[in-house]
Amino acid sequence: MNITKENIDALNAVVKVDITAEDYQEKVASVLKDYRKKANIPGFRPGQVPMGLVKKQYGKSIMVDEVNKLLQESLNNYLVEEKLDILGNPLPKVDGDFNWDAENFSFEFELGLAPEIKVDLKAGKVTKYNIVANDELINKEVENLQTRLGNKIEQEEVAEVSTIEGTFTNEEKTIENKATVTLEDIKGKLNAKKFIGSKVGDVLELKSKNLFNENAKLAQSLGLEANEVEGLETPLTFTIEAINITEPAEINQEFFDKIFGEGVVSSEEELRTKIKEDAEGQFAQQADQHLLNAITENLIEKTAFDLPKEFLIKWLGTAGEKPLTEEEAAAEYEKSEKGLRYQLIEGKIMADNDVKVDFQELKDYAIGFIKQQMAQFGQNNPEDKELEDIAMRVLQNQDEAKRLQSQLISSKMLDLFKEKVSFKEKEVSYEDFVKEVYK
């Protein structure tokens, strides 16, 4: 057997695998011998079928099978031994003159080679937001808590301060969802007028467009996903089932204990401090995710390199369960190119900075994730053995294992970026952060 590689250019190569009869005949003979022992052919006792008959009936298919096995194994070994960093998988070149009746065979494969990449983590600048919970936000959260724990007082009709419970329906869109709204949620005076003075049992005729100040409230009220209410214009009915006003809860020790547990907070100052800490902890996660996204976009933009585009389009056309046309494969390439570029950039950064994920780290990360999940359901002190058993079951699911590994890598990359990337820091309120980032 002989394997050679011809470089077409820096990103494309062709590997040729020459296989001679001596490379596969011994294995074919061994398989034929085993077939002869098991062959069940009328007129012959088991194990007594003439070898010539076995060869005639099975010889060619066995030879083809063994040559293909040998070809795949030798090609894979060659790629590993030569340390070839390829994109996609080798693509066989079609030879119109190929003949399985020959004894010696030549196979050619196209390779797409990964480009040489140089990543400068200092290139470009991004903004690292430090989101603070200001007094306005803390005041609003205190009011929300007072309302949530306050006393509900039934009302005969809707007033400006009412909380209205009811069901939104639309038969055509199969919407039937219970919701609680206030007039603060409602957009515009004309919509608000439809609610004012209404009573339990009244059915209001409304329109989804411009009904609420925020699309998130519309999605929540209709029981739909956020993307499902984008541009939604449909008539709605809202059947009023309860009308209340809420008498805010008094700020005292009973109030503190209901929110945080007995004795955790003992003054309004401590309450406000706790709200600030909790809010800023959540904001930090959003700021970190934005920072990671911003650095990712910056690296993709600033790190220039070529890809074997024609090869990748051809490979994408054959990689899935269903073959794609050249146009479909080209469209798929355009959709996936950005992700592939970052994949290569990330791999280079990890190699240059010795960022790795071993199984023990992944298991520890899974255990930490599981502990958080259990804590949300009030299970705060699970045993180590129980956590490890659950983690091992989770990691046996390949999709879950990949998802957790991706999250862990992102966490490690974020830590590395915070250490090495140049960025400017900016302290903002959450409201200003939303305005700047999600314009």
Side-chain angles (χ1 to χ4, degrees):
M1 182 188 301
N2 186 43
I3 303 181
T4 55
K5 177 170 72 73
E6 177 189 356
N7 288 329
I8 307 302
D9 54 39
L11 298 173
N12 295 274
V14 173
V15 169
K16 185 179 180 184
V17 182
D18 294 318
I19 295 177
T20 65
E22 289 78 13
D23 296 321
Y24 63 82
Q25 279 181 339
E26 185 178 340
K27 181 62 177 175
V28 170
S30 173
V31 175
L32 282 169
K33 188 176 180 182
D34 189 52
Y35 264 56
R36 184 178 180 230
K37 292 177 184 177
K38 300 175 182 177
N40 186 10
I41 297 177
F44 298 95
R45 287 183 295 167
Q48 299 300 314
V49 180
M51 180 57 79
L53 187 58
V54 175
K55 280 185 180 180
K56 184 178 180 180
Q57 190 161 347
Y58 302 108
K60 187 171 183 179
S61 64
I62 290 172
M63 182 270 291
V64 171
D65 191 37
E66 292 304 320
V67 168
N68 278 321
K69 287 180 183 177
L70 179 63
L71 173 64
Q72 194 62 53
E73 181 182 359
S74 58
L75 179 61
N76 289 342
N77 289 340
Y78 176 80
L79 296 176
V80 172
E81 289 165 5
E82 294 296 314
K83 297 179 180 177
L84 293 178
D85 191 4
I86 66 171
L87 302 178
N89 293 316
L91 289 177
K93 294 185 72 174
V94 178
D95 182 358
D97 297 326
F98 188 83
N99 182 11
W100 279 111
D101 291 327
E103 288 192 341
N104 301 325
F105 308 101
S106 288
F107 302 90
E108 289 187 338
F109 294 87
E110 296 178 66
L111 302 181
L113 304 178
E116 290 290 328
I117 301 175
K118 184 177 180 181
V119 182
D120 182 8
L121 291 178
K122 303 295 184 184
K125 287 196 175 183
V126 296
T127 300
K128 180 180 182 295
Y129 288 96
N130 178 26
I131 309 172
V132 296
N134 57 21
D135 287 341
E136 182 182 353
L137 183 143
I138 295 170
N139 291 340
K140 189 172 183 179
E141 182 57 23
V142 171
E143 289 176 9
N144 288 339
L145 290 170
Q146 285 182 277
T147 299
R148 181 155 61 88
L149 298 179
N151 296 317
K152 285 185 177 180
I153 302 172
E154 290 186 9
Q155 301 292 296
E156 289 188 3
E157 60 182 45
V158 176
E160 288 188 3
V161 293
S162 297
T163 298
I164 311 140
E165 299 173 20
T167 300
F168 282 100
T169 56
N170 176 291
E171 288 187 14
E172 184 182 348
K173 301 288 184 182
T174 63
I175 295 169
E176 185 173 353
N177 192 66
K178 288 186 178 296
T180 301
V181 299
T182 67
L183 293 190
E184 286 186 356
D185 301 320
I186 302 301
K187 185 174 184 178
K189 292 181 179 179
L190 289 177
N191 283 325
K193 273 186 178 181
K194 294 180 181 179
F195 285 85
I196 296 290
S198 298
K199 299 180 179 181
V200 172
D202 286 353
V203 179
L204 308 185
E205 300 291 334
L206 305 168
K207 293 180 180 178
S208 61
K209 186 178 180 181
N210 295 325
L211 178 57
F212 289 103
N213 290 313
E214 297 178 359
N215 268 2
K217 182 62 180 179
L218 177 63
Q220 181 188 41
S221 298
L222 303 186
L224 300 176
E225 297 295 330
N227 62 306
E228 293 179 294
V229 300
E230 287 293 335
L232 181 66
E233 296 185 31
T234 191
L236 299 167
T237 61
F238 181 67
T239 304
I240 298 177
E241 295 162 358
I243 305 166
N244 303 289
I245 61 169
T246 302
E247 184 181 71
E250 187 179 345
I251 298 178
N252 54 26
Q253 191 60 49
E254 182 183 2
F255 178 72
F256 304 145
D257 291 347
K258 281 182 179 179
I259 299 169
F260 298 108
E262 192 172 343
V264 174
V265 168
S266 57
S267 68
E268 184 172 351
E269 183 181 353
E270 289 181 13
L271 167 70
R272 296 174 67 85
T273 299
K274 191 80 168 60
I275 290 172
K276 182 179 176 66
E277 289 173 353
D278 291 348
E280 290 181 352
Q282 293 178 22
F283 295 158
Q285 294 178 20
Q286 292 187 52
D288 279 348
Q289 187 59 56
H290 172 265
L291 179 64
L292 184 61
N293 293 342
I295 292 172
T296 297
E297 291 292 332
N298 183 66
L299 286 170
I300 292 171
E301 181 183 346
K302 300 292 184 183
T303 309
F305 55 88
D306 293 325
L307 290 169
K309 181 176 178 178
E310 291 183 8
F311 170 84
L312 288 170
I313 290 174
K314 192 184 297 185
W315 172 69
L316 284 168
T318 63
E321 293 182 8
K322 179 184 174 183
L324 303 178
T325 65
E326 187 174 343
E327 292 76 15
E328 290 171 335
E332 187 63 29
Y333 173 80
E334 294 301 324
K335 285 194 293 184
S336 58
E337 181 186 1
K338 196 173 182 181
L340 174 59
R341 286 185 177 277
Y342 184 67
Q343 216 173 21
L344 293 169
I345 293 168
E346 184 181 68
K348 177 64 173 171
I349 295 171
M350 290 177 70
D352 288 348
N353 294 276
D354 198 30
V355 177
K356 299 174 183 175
V357 171
D358 59 35
F359 183 75
Q360 185 60 48
E361 280 183 300
L362 184 58
K363 187 173 79 170
D364 291 343
Y365 183 80
I367 287 173
F369 178 78
I370 292 162
K371 281 180 76 172
Q372 287 181 352
Q373 294 290 100
M374 294 177 76
Q376 291 179 9
F377 293 95
Q379 300 177 52
N380 294 312
N381 296 300
E383 294 185 0
D384 292 344
K385 178 70 167 59
E386 181 186 10
L387 287 168
E388 184 158 343
D389 289 346
I390 296 173
M392 292 303 294
R393 287 199 299 272
V394 168
L395 293 175
Q396 284 172 5
N397 182 313
Q398 288 190 352
D399 290 338
E400 278 297 300
K402 284 181 181 178
R403 185 178 67 82
L404 289 170
Q405 184 179 41
S406 177
Q407 289 179 359
L408 179 53
I409 289 173
S410 292
S411 176
K412 288 191 165 211
M413 293 298 286
L414 180 61
D415 289 341
L416 178 71
F417 291 151
K418 284 181 176 179
E419 178 186 344
K420 302 209 169 191
V421 171
S422 298
F423 48 75
K424 64 177 182 179
E425 295 198 50
K426 186 173 183 180
E427 187 172 288
V428 293
S429 68
Y430 183 70
E431 184 179 346
D432 288 340
F433 172 75
V434 172
K435 286 179 182 177
E436 288 192 31
V437 172
Y438 307 107
K439 299 171 186 175

